[in-house]
Amino acid sequence: MANAEQRTDGDVPAGVVDLLGVLAYGELSAFGRLAEDARLAPTLHLTGELSRMAARELEHHDLLVERLRELGQDPEVVMNRFVPGFEAFHQRTRPATWLEGLVKAYIGDGIGYDFFREISRFVDEESQEIIAQASATGRGIVAEGRDVKGLYKKARAGELKNFTGIDSPYEPPEAPELRVDTAVEDAE
């Protein structure tokens, strides 16, 4: 939790500052990992995809840092509290191959995004919006790799227009008729 010097002026609880700080450092850490993993990618196309993912992580980091500044916080001080935990985790889970790095990025970051999405329901509206923006992954490498119909290939060639993840962003539904929360519900 935030110490007395880092508490906000009363409008935003210190726990929100900590949440923003851990997210901001997580995004910065993810940028570095993905940039390293991009060098191991087996094709130039995948190197580019991972590099774009890394760039998005840095953009997300910048959003969170700006929110910390809006709250009167020093982002470096807030984030530094979380560096040892992240570094210890990454040291113990260092991937040996490109594929291991990709799996780690999707599974590890996916779990983190799910957690932060859920916990963000308990923070102020402005911080909630920033967390939602920072949690938008836009990751399509796994889906593209499983595309047996070749739709991604056609979209990249310009044969399919407005293809989500290629030339059209994913837009989550505002009011879905069905929502399966896999954190608390079984797929069955």
Side-chain angles (χ1 to χ4, degrees):
M1 291 302 274
N3 60 30
E5 300 83 54
Q6 287 297 309
R7 292 197 184 276
T8 62
D9 59 12
D11 288 345
V12 179
V16 172
V17 171
D18 286 340
L19 178 61
L20 293 168
V22 73
L23 277 168
Y25 186 72
E27 295 291 349
L28 187 59
S29 177
F31 163 77
R33 285 182 296 109
L34 287 168
E36 286 179 24
D37 292 348
R39 294 183 308 181
L40 301 173
T43 67
L44 291 176
H45 170 73
L46 292 173
T47 298
E49 288 296 314
L50 283 175
S51 296
R52 277 186 281 286
M53 285 172 61
R56 281 192 296 273
E57 300 292 353
L58 196 56
E59 290 170 5
H60 298 162
H61 164 79
D62 291 345
L63 286 170
L64 294 157
V65 163
E66 181 58 33
R67 179 65 181 144
L68 284 166
R69 287 188 180 121
E70 288 171 3
L71 296 174
Q73 302 299 307
D74 179 341
E76 188 140 344
V77 170
V78 175
M79 289 187 297
N80 268 325
R81 291 194 296 268
F82 304 103
V83 172
F86 273 92
E87 296 309 312
F89 171 77
H90 292 308
Q91 189 65 34
R92 286 191 302 270
T93 60
R94 185 172 307 282
T97 66
W98 173 80
L99 184 56
E100 285 180 11
L102 189 61
V103 169
K104 180 181 174 184
Y106 275 94
I107 293 174
D109 292 351
I111 291 168
Y113 286 133
D114 288 347
F115 170 74
F116 293 125
R117 184 192 68 237
E118 290 302 316
I119 202 165
S120 73
R121 295 185 304 177
F122 303 101
V123 303
D124 63 282
E125 204 169 297
E126 279 186 69
S127 295
Q128 191 175 55
E129 178 59 32
I130 296 298
I131 291 169
Q133 289 175 35
S135 297
T137 63
R139 296 179 176 168
I141 293 175
V142 171
E144 190 167 348
R146 294 187 306 217
D147 180 17
V148 295
K149 295 181 181 179
L151 297 177
Y152 278 91
K153 185 176 181 179
K154 289 179 181 178
R156 289 197 183 284
E159 297 171 24
L160 290 176
K161 300 292 181 200
N162 300 317
F163 195 83
T164 301
I166 303 297
D167 62 350
S168 181
Y170 171 72
E171 298 175 8
E174 291 182 20
E177 291 182 27
L178 175 66
R179 181 172 184 260
V180 178
D181 186 347
T182 57
V184 294
E185 298 177 45
D186 192 311
E188 303 297 316

